[in-house]
Amino acid sequence: MTTQTLRIRRSIQELQDAYTQGNKKPLEDLMRAWKGVKELPPDDPRSFFKLGGFHGEPFRGAGWGNASYWGGYCNHGNVLFPTWHRMYLVKLEEALRGVPGCEDVTLPYWDETSEESTQKGIPWALTVKDFELDGESIPNPLRSFVFNQAIVDHIDHDKPSYSKPKGYETVRYPLSGLVGSKEDLAATRLHNKRYSDYDKNVELLNANVVNWLNSIIIVDDKPVSTHVADKYKSCLEAPNYTVFSNNSSAAQWNGERPGTEPVVPLEEPHDSIHLAVGGFDYPGATDYSPIDGANGDMGENDTAGLDPIFFFHHCNVDRVFWLWQKRQGFTDHLDIIAGYPGTNSVDGQGATPGVAPNSWLGLESPLAPFKQVEQGRERDCTSLDCINIERQLGFTYSKGSLEDPAELERMTLKAGRGTQALHVTGINRAPIRGSFLVSAFANIGGKRHHVGTRAVLSRWNVSGCANCQTHLEVQAFFGLHAFPEKLLQGATYEVEIRGRDGVLANHAKQTGPTGKRLFHLEVK
């Protein structure tokens, strides 16, 4: 297939620019396609409700009938994370192209590391309240989704805290979307009443995203990046697919290599953007959660896939995956380290429907529930079907950020710089409701420096997943290579774990209600 015949996935910013310059058709067709899939009945296989729900709720399948399973079909914390989501995007794009008049539509990416995004936040096409289409003003199809069917959280039988009724509309930071119980609904109504100005909310959302994308610390009178954009750059340097692909494998790799700069997997900056949009402020040296109670849908696995921005975010994640493949020479094959953490269905989140518990994962593992027809017979899609996006899937990406070599220059280890890293291990996520942040701080010369933050995207309640209960550990690694070695002598360190219920633990007080240590901190 030649490049002339490839479909081009462009950035949403490109479509916006064309629109403002008078070429309105590409963005209008995209809006028309999204409007179409959202209006389909919930049981239609091409409907947004059906496709968006594959990620978590409502299609948990065995997730609530059999506690050995995670439930939703999404793969996180294992080597199928990039390929499962790649195929997920393909199926949503096929549905968009199936809307009459939208046959040429492709799914755009939100170029999160572009200058436009790092300065202004989310592109306006994803946040503007209304859009003019075919001569009338309509609710912007890309800013939210109104459920056309209720979802019921079967995991917590006594308190269905993540159930949401028909007519519920997805929300983003700074709003809350917890409406499953009377207590949650009352708290949410009170919280959201304080944020009733839509335009102001978009300003707060964009400011938060910009903070996540641009954070720096000042070390030895010099700025050092600790932000998400830098993590995207770092992951492009991952040496192999196994550690590039997911947090579980990268944690093992980093733990085996003390004294080296930690590898950053693709899943790490991915998680950060989820939480930035879904309700977490970026950590700082002081109180970094002025908007307690923000619980947006993108911040939890359960309903993240039902916010349209999910697919624009993941389209960029997939683009970075393709950039890594080209940079590292893996456009036609991928390598998986056999038996490594992140290669078993119990790793990270636990098995998904269609995959047996405690089974090894590889390129031939099914990417359920996605199917394709081959020689007249339907079969499960696998990672082998989607390694080369151009040759196998018929599309490529327009040129965006992270492609100019000058952009990818990063600080290399220099004489006199720290050679160690903070290893935070043994974090027990069992008592933590939903997603959370692990933040590290260094106290140097009486000043508290934010070393970095690991965002952990999780489900609202892990109690219904037996595999989750036996694989509860979360690890985080923070390199100290930005700091001069002389400044680290005598330094002390703190770790804060912050969830939906506030600060759960810090280094000075590591025990939970049961008296058990919630994590272990080591410098090595």
Side-chain angles (χ1 to χ4, degrees):
M1 184 175 293
T2 65
T3 55
Q4 284 75 22
T5 61
L6 291 173
R7 302 190 308 278
I8 308 295
R9 286 183 178 174
R10 305 190 183 280
S11 74
I12 189 66
Q13 185 66 46
E14 291 179 72
L15 271 61
Q16 287 182 177
D17 292 344
Y19 183 88
T20 57
Q21 293 166 11
N23 182 15
K24 296 186 175 184
K25 188 177 187 322
L27 185 57
E28 287 179 342
D29 284 349
L30 179 71
M31 295 288 186
R32 186 174 292 107
W34 273 90
K35 180 175 181 289
V37 297
K38 289 168 66 177
E39 290 176 344
L40 291 172
D43 57 351
D44 190 306
R46 301 167 301 157
S47 73
F48 182 64
F49 182 82
K50 174 72 77 173
L51 291 167
F54 282 149
H55 195 259
E57 289 184 323
F59 299 105
R60 281 191 167 148
W64 62 274
N66 184 336
S68 295
Y69 290 87
W70 169 256
Y73 289 102
C74 64
N75 279 269
H76 295 92
N78 65 52
V79 291
L80 301 185
F81 166 73
T83 52
W84 186 90
H85 286 86
R86 173 169 283 177
M87 193 56 70
Y88 194 23
L89 297 176
V90 168
K91 296 304 179 181
L92 187 277
E93 188 174 75
E94 289 175 354
L96 294 173
R97 292 163 65 84
V99 174
C102 301
E103 293 80 6
D104 294 330
V105 164
T106 54
L107 186 62
Y109 60 94
W110 167 22
D111 192 348
E112 295 158 357
T113 49
S114 69
E115 183 177 353
E116 187 79 13
S117 290
T118 55
Q119 291 182 355
K120 299 180 180 179
I122 301 171
W124 61 258
L126 302 177
T127 61
V128 66
K129 190 171 186 178
D130 299 303
F131 187 83
E132 186 173 330
L133 185 64
D134 298 329
E136 66 173 311
S137 179
I138 64 169
N140 177 11
L142 309 184
R143 71 171 174 86
S144 64
F145 175 57
V146 178
F147 287 14
N148 48 12
Q149 181 173 301
I151 61 172
V152 179
D153 186 352
H154 294 276
I155 290 181
D156 191 339
H157 300 287
D158 297 325
K159 182 182 177 183
S161 59
Y162 225 69
S163 297
K164 301 194 175 186
K166 180 179 180 179
Y168 168 83
E169 184 173 8
T170 58
V171 297
R172 302 168 185 166
Y173 180 98
L175 298 177
S176 173
L178 290 180
V179 295
S181 69
K182 290 182 179 179
E183 294 85 354
D184 286 338
L185 180 58
T188 290
R189 285 176 173 169
L190 182 63
H191 174 87
N192 289 350
K193 189 175 181 180
R194 296 197 292 266
Y195 299 95
S196 58
D197 186 327
Y198 181 82
D199 292 335
K200 180 62 177 179
N201 289 347
V202 172
E203 291 180 13
L204 292 170
L205 171 61
N206 283 328
N208 193 47
V209 169
V210 167
N211 285 340
W212 277 87
L213 289 172
N214 292 288
S215 67
I216 62 171
I217 56 176
I218 303 299
V219 179
D220 211 17
D221 296 325
K222 297 179 182 178
V224 176
S225 63
T226 58
H227 50 64
V228 177
D230 193 62
K231 289 183 178 182
Y232 272 123
K233 295 176 185 179
S234 298
C235 76
L236 291 174
E237 300 176 7
N240 59 68
Y241 174 74
T242 304
V243 301
F244 167 80
S245 65
N246 73 97
N247 291 327
S248 300
S249 299
Q252 178 70 20
W253 185 272
N254 291 329
E256 294 172 343
R257 290 163 176 79
T260 62
E261 187 170 7
V263 166
V264 176
L266 177 65
E267 194 174 12
E268 188 168 330
H270 151 270
D271 287 359
S272 296
I273 295 296
H274 265 280
L275 270 60
V277 176
F280 282 88
D281 299 304
Y282 192 76
T286 56
D287 178 18
Y288 53 84
S289 240
I291 303 181
D292 290 324
N295 290 285
D297 291 278
M298 272 285 282
E300 312 296 341
N301 267 335
D302 294 294
T303 55
L306 289 164
D307 183 335
I309 201 173
F310 171 98
F311 292 91
F312 296 84
H313 165 48
H314 269 277
C315 199
N316 187 61
V317 170
D318 186 68
R319 183 183 70 93
V320 176
F321 177 20
W322 181 240
L323 291 179
W324 177 86
Q325 290 180 262
K326 293 191 292 182
R327 181 182 174 91
Q328 302 293 344
F330 288 104
T331 55
D332 291 301
H333 74 285
L334 298 172
D335 57 342
I336 291 179
I337 303 174
Y340 210 69
T343 64
N344 193 284
S345 62
V346 301
D347 291 328
Q349 62 184 27
T352 57
V355 178
N358 198 27
S359 60
W360 296 107
L361 303 175
L363 299 178
E364 296 182 352
S365 298
L367 302 179
F370 310 127
K371 307 282 187 180
Q372 73 177 41
V373 177
E374 186 176 79
Q375 297 179 346
R377 307 181 94 180
E378 188 177 71
R379 66 167 177 82
D380 290 320
C381 291
T382 72
S383 299
L384 293 173
D385 297 316
C386 60
I387 294 175
N388 190 309
I389 62 172
E390 297 180 353
R391 182 172 54 82
Q392 295 176 290
L393 302 176
F395 73 86
T396 194
Y397 288 100
S398 67
K399 186 176 181 179
S401 63
L402 303 182
E403 298 195 55
D404 185 342
E407 286 185 82
L408 301 178
E409 291 183 3
R410 300 180 62 250
M411 187 190 76
T412 56
L413 291 180
K414 298 178 181 179
R417 294 281 173 175
T419 59
Q420 295 180 308
L422 295 179
H423 290 223
V424 186
T425 58
I427 300 171
N428 180 7
R429 62 190 175 106
I432 303 175
R433 296 199 307 163
S435 301
F436 57 96
L437 305 179
V438 182
S439 299
F441 300 88
N443 297 302
I444 302 174
K447 187 174 182 180
R448 191 173 188 248
H449 294 277
H450 173 223
V451 178
T453 287
R454 158 112 191 262
V456 181
L457 178 66
S458 187
R459 73 187 321 169
W460 188 249
N461 190 329
V462 300
S463 64
C465 175
N467 279 327
C468 301
Q469 291 298 308
T470 57
H471 293 79
L472 291 166
E473 182 181 9
V474 172
Q475 302 181 48
F477 299 84
F478 305 98
L480 297 173
H481 308 87
F483 296 87
E485 185 69 42
K486 61 181 181 180
L487 292 182
L488 295 176
Q489 297 175 6
T492 60
Y493 303 97
E494 300 175 37
V495 172
E496 287 185 355
I497 301 176
R498 189 177 190 98
R500 299 301 196 185
D501 300 313
V503 176
L504 304 177
N506 57 48
H507 189 48
K509 185 181 180 181
Q510 292 190 46
T511 58
T514 62
K516 295 182 179 180
R517 290 167 64 92
L518 294 182
F519 60 86
H520 177 71
L521 173 62
E522 188 175 4
V523 181
K524 59 181 180 179

